[in-house]
Amino acid sequence: MITILDYGSGNISAIKNIYERLNISFEFAATKEQLQRADHILLPGVGAFDETISTLTAKGYFGILNQKVLEEKVPILGICVGMQMLADSSEEGKLDGLGWIHGRVKKFDRNLIPDKPKIPHLGWNSIEIIRDCPLFKNIDPEIGFYFVHSYYYECADMSDVICKTQYGTYFHSAINNGNIYGVQFHPEKSHENGIQLLRNFANL
């Protein structure tokens, strides 16, 4: 059962449609009680870092998330800002992140990006897989994924990086430590690669 955390951020209907197509069980969690039942957790995300962290705090999710992820080792996948929340901090805001995979979220340097529109990084881009990971089984790195973001994750430890992508500079586009996974792109907008990745997550 995939539990999609509904905290008012992200295109959760698109994720719902993919799991329905794959005939994989899922539910939306809008309460702490629903989150408590999760055996896989998906953190969708479209929005600002501080706003999203504040919403999670206001809903009282942090304690349960730490219990499920750090103690029970439930697999979790953060998408876009859902991934960025895994960091220690972000240049986009002032609040602390979850700090589960050490690193900092940084803003793209416009001076390094030759083509316009420069920011956000918008559209399809390929990935370069750095290490094997079951989340990326049967993924075509040349086709890549669909991105929409102005900030990127810089991991403190390269062993936590699954793949990187070039946009003016190389940035870490997917990360993993144990049961914790994050992707900067949007699998729900990435056609067959995205469908395969969401299937892979369900099989972890």
Side-chain angles (χ1 to χ4, degrees):
M1 173 77 74
I2 307 294
T3 297
I4 304 168
L5 191 56
D6 183 2
Y7 48 92
S9 179
N11 188 9
I12 59 176
S13 62
I15 299 170
K16 165 185 174 290
N17 292 340
I18 290 174
Y19 278 130
E20 285 180 338
R21 173 179 169 183
L22 294 172
N23 198 28
I24 292 173
S25 297
F26 70 93
E27 69 173 353
F28 295 119
T31 68
K32 291 184 286 185
E33 291 73 24
Q34 290 171 314
L35 181 58
Q36 192 72 56
R37 299 197 298 264
D39 58 25
H40 283 68
I41 300 171
L42 197 151
L43 294 177
V46 176
F49 185 88
D50 275 8
E51 178 184 358
T52 308
I53 290 289
S54 295
T55 300
L56 288 181
T57 301
K59 289 182 175 291
Y61 287 149
F62 275 112
I64 298 174
L65 284 171
N66 280 322
Q67 173 197 331
K68 301 296 289 186
V69 175
L70 302 182
E71 298 176 23
E72 299 179 23
K73 303 299 181 183
V74 166
I76 187 167
L77 173 62
I79 295 173
C80 198
V81 74
M83 166 181 165
Q84 293 177 3
M85 288 191 296
L86 306 177
D88 298 303
S89 62
S90 173
E91 289 183 356
E92 188 180 14
K94 298 180 179 180
L95 299 179
D96 291 336
L98 290 162
W100 291 343
I101 296 182
H102 294 305
R104 179 165 171 76
V105 177
K106 302 176 70 174
K107 189 169 187 177
F108 282 114
D109 183 347
R110 293 178 182 271
N111 297 320
L112 297 177
I113 304 170
D115 299 321
K116 294 181 179 180
K118 293 184 175 182
I119 297 176
H121 174 208
L122 175 64
W124 286 86
N125 205 339
S126 60
I127 61 170
E128 181 179 333
I129 296 176
I130 296 173
R131 65 174 173 88
D132 289 337
C133 178
L135 189 66
F136 281 75
K137 181 181 179 181
N138 297 326
I139 295 294
D140 186 334
E142 288 301 315
I143 293 176
F145 294 90
Y146 190 89
F147 292 82
V148 184
H149 62 120
S150 301
Y151 294 81
Y152 65 93
Y153 205 123
E154 186 176 78
C155 277
D157 188 339
M158 280 298 296
S159 67
D160 292 331
V161 180
I162 304 172
C163 66
K164 62 182 181 179
T165 298
Q166 188 174 32
Y167 189 65
T169 185
Y170 277 104
F171 66 91
H172 303 152
S173 47
I175 58 177
N176 161 242
N177 187 305
N179 57 306
I180 304 168
Y181 300 83
V183 295
Q184 183 57 66
F185 48 79
H186 287 271
E188 75 277 12
K189 298 181 179 180
S190 299
H191 304 319
E192 293 304 317
N193 262 358
I195 292 168
Q196 181 63 45
L197 187 136
L198 290 175
R199 178 191 288 115
N200 291 343
F201 176 65
N203 291 330
L204 292 175

